[in-house]
Amino acid sequence: MREECGEVIEVLVVKASDVTRMLSRPPEASEVMLRFGKIFEEEYALANHIYMWRWYRHIPRWFARKIAARLRAEGIYSRDLVLKAYRAYAALLKAGVVGEKPRTRFRELAEKLFVAAQPDLYNESTDTYYEFKLGPVNDYARKQAEVFAWVLGKPVVLVGIVEDRNGYVSVEKEVIQPPEKLDVDVAELRRHAVMEEFCSDLMIPVHQYERDFERYYRALRFLKAIGVIEEEEEEEF
């Protein structure tokens, strides 16, 4: 283990969703819509990533096909869901809700108890975090965004997708500021938390640290292979 990590310590980590459920009651939703929402979230983030490297004209068609394939694999396919996903995709792009899936962030709530948060998107060019919902903004979504904002220490843009009875889709946005504290039962949260190994100096999970450095060394090897840096420059890079 590199010395930047420091000692490996054991801490408790609780998900932002578990914290949110202590602050607000989740809205009722069918199993199909919950699975559909998860698929859309994952595929929209992936489409944003691919958009950075490919010609835009091909992305919407690819997105619709990918959604349909995922829905079939889950056994919940319907043309209405594919259409719903495509309309939401177009509305989010039009509203400028773009970015990449950010890494999970952590903040210590109590001694050796950390809250983990990963909003839907992060736009590096505008330094903006987004959390979007396939429905109107509600109290539960606001509380979840507050937890994210508290962990990140900065605002989160909460985005709701509203569809009228004629199928017209619009987007509503709210900027959620980070609260000073989270009013939760710490003892109860500890019962929901899981044990993880953290780097004592960086206060991030060891697996995240190792993954980041593996990416660093892959980039380093590539730059060396194409002659951008020399062997003796490696330690300074």
Side-chain angles (χ1 to χ4, degrees):
M1 188 66 61
R2 292 174 62 95
E3 52 185 46
E4 292 96 333
C5 179
E7 296 181 6
V8 175
I9 61 174
E10 289 188 337
V11 303
L12 291 172
V13 177
V14 65
K15 295 178 182 179
S17 56
D18 291 325
V19 179
T20 307
R21 279 191 284 270
M22 293 184 65
L23 298 170
S24 180
R25 183 176 180 176
E28 293 185 3
S30 69
E31 181 64 24
V32 168
M33 291 309 297
L34 289 173
R35 290 157 67 187
F36 169 67
K38 183 66 174 175
I39 289 171
F40 179 86
E41 172 192 322
E42 294 172 353
E43 295 303 330
Y44 185 74
L46 180 59
N48 269 258
H49 176 72
I50 294 175
Y51 171 69
M52 296 175 60
W53 306 104
R54 296 192 178 185
W55 192 21
Y56 170 74
R57 188 167 66 88
H58 297 296
I59 305 302
R61 185 184 306 168
W62 171 89
F63 177 80
R65 289 175 176 172
K66 191 77 186 316
I67 287 288
R70 289 285 305 274
L71 293 175
R72 286 191 176 97
E74 291 284 330
I76 58 172
Y77 173 83
S78 75
R79 185 179 180 278
D80 287 344
L81 286 181
V82 175
L83 185 59
K84 183 181 182 70
Y86 183 81
R87 286 172 173 168
Y89 165 87
L92 288 172
L93 283 185
K94 185 177 180 180
V97 183
V98 296
E100 296 250 24
K101 190 70 175 178
R103 70 161 65 179
T104 303
R105 301 289 181 177
F106 302 85
R107 183 173 174 182
E108 192 169 20
L109 176 65
E111 185 178 3
K112 290 191 175 182
L113 175 64
F114 287 77
V115 180
Q118 187 183 34
D120 289 324
L121 296 172
Y122 173 65
N123 187 323
E124 187 174 6
S125 64
T126 60
D127 190 25
T128 304
Y129 284 94
Y130 292 101
E131 177 68 14
F132 56 80
K133 302 297 178 185
L134 289 175
V137 169
N138 54 42
D139 183 64
Y140 182 82
R142 292 187 185 94
K143 289 300 181 183
Q144 184 183 45
E146 280 187 9
V147 176
F148 287 156
W150 179 84
V151 173
L152 299 167
K154 62 194 312 173
V156 170
V157 178
L158 178 60
V159 182
I161 300 173
V162 183
E163 183 175 357
D164 66 20
R165 59 185 176 182
N166 296 317
Y168 178 78
V169 175
S170 60
V171 167
E172 56 183 6
K173 295 181 182 178
E174 293 184 17
V175 178
I176 306 299
Q177 299 293 335
E180 292 185 6
K181 64 178 182 177
L182 298 178
D183 188 16
V184 292
D185 185 336
V186 172
E188 180 65 21
L189 278 181
R190 289 187 187 275
R191 288 192 281 271
H192 291 277
V194 296
M195 189 76 71
E196 285 201 37
E197 291 185 336
F198 262 44
C199 295
S200 62
D201 289 351
L202 302 176
M203 282 304 175
I204 61 173
V206 170
H207 65 80
Q208 188 179 88
Y209 170 82
E210 292 174 339
R211 184 174 63 245
D212 289 347
F213 268 89
E214 175 59 28
R215 290 172 180 166
Y216 165 82
Y217 281 116
R218 282 203 303 266
L220 190 63
R221 288 194 295 269
F222 173 74
L223 293 175
K224 287 166 62 178
I226 64 176
V228 174
I229 62 172
E230 303 293 336
E231 292 287 341
E232 58 269 17
E233 295 180 288
E234 180 174 342
E235 290 300 319
E236 299 178 4
F237 182 75

